[in-house]
Amino acid sequence: DLNLPEPVLITAMAKHERMFPVRQADGSLTNRFVAVRNAGEDDTVRAGNAWVLNARFNDAKFFFDEDEKSTLDDFLARTERMLFQDKLGTVRARADRLAALTRSVAKRAGLSEAERAAAEEAGFYAKADLTTGLVAELSSLQGVVGGLYARREGKSVAVSEALGAQYRPVGAESLATEGGRVAACLIVADQIDKLAGFLGLGLAPKGSSDPFGLRRAATVLIDAAWAWPALRIGFAELFAEADGLYRGQGVELDADGARAIAADVFRGRYDALLEDVRHDVLNAALADRPESDILNPRGMRLRVEIVTQLAGNEAFVTAISRPANIVDAAIKKGDAMADHLDAGALGSAEGVALAGAVDAAQATIQAGWSAEDAAAVASALAGLTPTIDAYFTATMINDPDAAVRAQRLGVARRAAACAQQIADFRQLVG
């Protein structure tokens, strides 16, 4: 018995000798293994594999014991000599940013003060194990080793679990525990810091080239948000916060450029991750959306769900396109559009009815959006169809009288804006 943690034993087997562990019925490891051979006598090959595997275990035991002579603080101090990126500073400097950013994510996600404190501590020590001997020997154990050593030093369960899970996907099962929630905060902070830094230097992915794994970082953020309802916060503000942390360390970045490039990267990720969604539906949801919307994965997924439900409603798509088109034309001509309804100047009972219907629909849409209820939002929008049709059938929008025209265009703009806060439904095909 080498008295090594199970992840170390399994990783040593898989990396060096490509062997498979054997477990008992209760899931615990046995001292047996499975290996595949091409030739040789069974007994000879078995004995040789066992000898080599014991040697690998002894190597891992050596590093594990040597690391025990240092603390996580010692390992973290050594990251002062390790660059994160030439212009972005050291891994040690990154620890301070991750501590602040992870705590901020925890606060925005509504976690308790105890969880926020654990998140800050996890962010601080997240990359400390990069200087350990065991990670140098078995690099795939990065994070896992930090969690093992944190537990060995008596740090809280939440911090230890978060360190060990910082490279795993965020899922409903992991979010059920305090350590899993703290890990999710750390995962988000890690990717935000990475994207803000590299994109702030203009190091965007190009074509099939993505040497810094920035597309993967965006995918991790999107997956985390989709798995965790608390991350409805979106990421635009976190990008700004990450930029501020870099600036506080004397690193000047192009924050606006980074956010714009990040939005482009996210657009590409939605296209890849939502491969079952019609392209015109996705285009409608993405069209002319501000960066803050693009960087809000839960909001974008909700938009896609709403558009999907309305894509087959030809009457609605036709109706809602009319105010949108006439408003665009008015903007190009420089026509005035009234901000406030004057029923007398409007001179259209159908226009008054449409303005009231839009206001009522808006309240339902806001409630449905807050509840992430795509069906409620889609139903509210579809309900505008008859009043829009009635207004455009009975009313000359471009009246020769400028005051009347401004009122009528103002009502059209209300209807168009109500739909366009969700998507540009004119992008839908057929």
Side-chain angles (χ1 to χ4, degrees):
D1 183 5
L2 293 175
N3 196 30
L4 283 169
E6 182 177 301
V8 179
L9 294 171
I10 292 174
T11 303
M13 295 173 72
K15 176 184 176 182
H16 292 295
E17 302 307 326
R18 294 174 177 80
M19 297 175 183
F20 304 92
V22 176
R23 298 181 181 273
Q24 299 190 52
D26 62 2
S28 60
L29 283 180
T30 70
N31 63 348
R32 298 177 180 275
F33 62 90
V34 174
V36 180
R37 66 176 177 81
N38 292 324
E41 291 290 332
D42 286 353
D43 292 341
T44 303
V45 172
R46 185 183 299 110
N49 283 339
W51 186 89
V52 171
L53 189 56
N54 275 324
R56 300 305 185 190
F57 285 164
N58 283 326
D59 289 343
K61 183 75 163 73
F62 169 79
F63 290 114
F64 184 75
D65 291 342
E66 284 296 303
D67 286 343
E68 194 170 14
K69 299 174 183 177
S70 302
T71 65
L72 282 177
D73 285 311
D74 296 329
F75 293 125
L76 182 61
R78 294 170 195 165
T79 63
E80 188 65 60
R81 303 188 296 271
M82 180 181 290
L83 278 179
F84 172 51
Q85 198 275 344
D86 185 44
K87 295 181 180 179
L88 299 179
T90 65
V91 174
R92 175 62 187 84
R94 191 173 190 234
D96 293 326
R97 297 196 306 271
L98 287 179
L101 203 54
T102 306
R103 183 181 182 92
S104 179
V105 175
K107 180 179 179 180
R108 293 170 186 271
L111 300 191
S112 67
E113 177 55 37
E115 289 174 313
R116 295 177 197 178
E120 183 175 8
E121 186 174 7
F124 187 64
Y125 289 110
K127 310 305 173 184
D129 67 358
L130 289 174
T131 61
T132 63
L134 194 52
V135 167
E137 172 71 6
L138 300 169
S139 59
S140 64
L141 286 178
Q142 182 179 333
V144 174
V145 168
L148 292 171
Y149 291 179
R151 190 173 296 110
R152 187 162 68 180
E153 290 184 21
K155 295 193 179 298
S156 71
V157 172
V159 171
S160 301
E161 287 185 1
L163 292 177
Q166 63 180 290
Y167 298 104
R168 300 174 194 162
V170 176
E173 184 177 341
S174 63
L175 291 168
T177 67
E178 184 182 40
R181 291 188 293 273
V182 172
C185 295
L186 175 55
I187 289 166
V188 169
D190 192 358
Q191 308 312 315
I192 289 287
D193 177 82
K194 182 178 181 179
L195 284 167
F198 283 90
L199 297 181
L201 295 176
L203 301 175
K206 295 181 180 179
S208 61
S209 175
D210 186 13
F212 307 112
L214 302 183
R215 290 192 184 101
R216 182 182 180 282
T219 299
V220 170
L221 288 173
I222 292 170
D223 285 341
W226 286 352
W228 196 10
L231 291 183
R232 296 180 64 185
I233 52 178
F235 298 128
E237 292 183 5
L238 286 172
F239 270 99
E241 189 168 339
D243 177 73
L245 292 168
Y246 273 109
R247 291 182 185 276
Q249 295 179 345
V251 179
E252 293 295 321
L253 301 171
D254 179 3
D256 292 339
R259 193 169 55 252
I261 298 171
D264 285 339
V265 173
F266 272 60
R267 284 188 186 94
R269 292 295 84 204
Y270 293 133
D271 193 37
L273 295 170
L274 298 171
E275 59 182 355
D276 294 333
V277 174
R278 281 169 34 184
H279 285 295
D280 61 327
V281 168
L282 189 57
N283 288 341
L286 289 168
D288 298 323
R289 300 255 54 95
E291 292 166 0
S292 57
D293 284 350
I294 300 296
L295 296 173
N296 185 337
R298 291 193 72 83
M300 285 308 308
R301 186 174 66 175
L302 182 57
R303 290 179 201 284
V304 169
E305 292 172 354
I306 295 166
V307 178
T308 298
Q309 294 191 26
L310 289 169
N313 189 336
E314 185 177 349
F316 165 75
V317 175
T318 300
I320 203 62
S321 297
R322 298 176 76 180
N325 288 334
I326 203 166
V327 166
D328 283 352
I331 291 172
K332 290 179 180 178
K333 290 189 294 184
D335 286 345
M337 287 177 272
D339 293 324
H340 303 287
L341 179 66
D342 182 341
L346 177 64
S348 169
E350 292 81 6
V352 173
L354 178 56
V358 168
D359 289 344
Q362 189 63 46
T364 303
I365 289 168
Q366 289 178 349
W369 185 269
S370 297
E372 295 188 327
D373 186 345
V377 176
S379 178
L381 286 172
L384 294 174
T385 302
T387 39
I388 293 173
D389 286 341
Y391 178 55
F392 277 84
T393 299
T395 309
M396 179 185 292
I397 308 300
N398 287 315
D399 193 273
D401 186 306
V404 174
R405 184 170 64 249
Q407 282 291 323
R408 293 178 178 181
L409 285 171
V411 171
R413 185 173 61 180
R414 280 197 198 193
C418 184
Q420 287 176 337
Q421 67 183 316
I422 302 299
D424 184 353
F425 291 92
R426 294 172 295 176
Q427 300 291 325
L428 295 173
V429 177

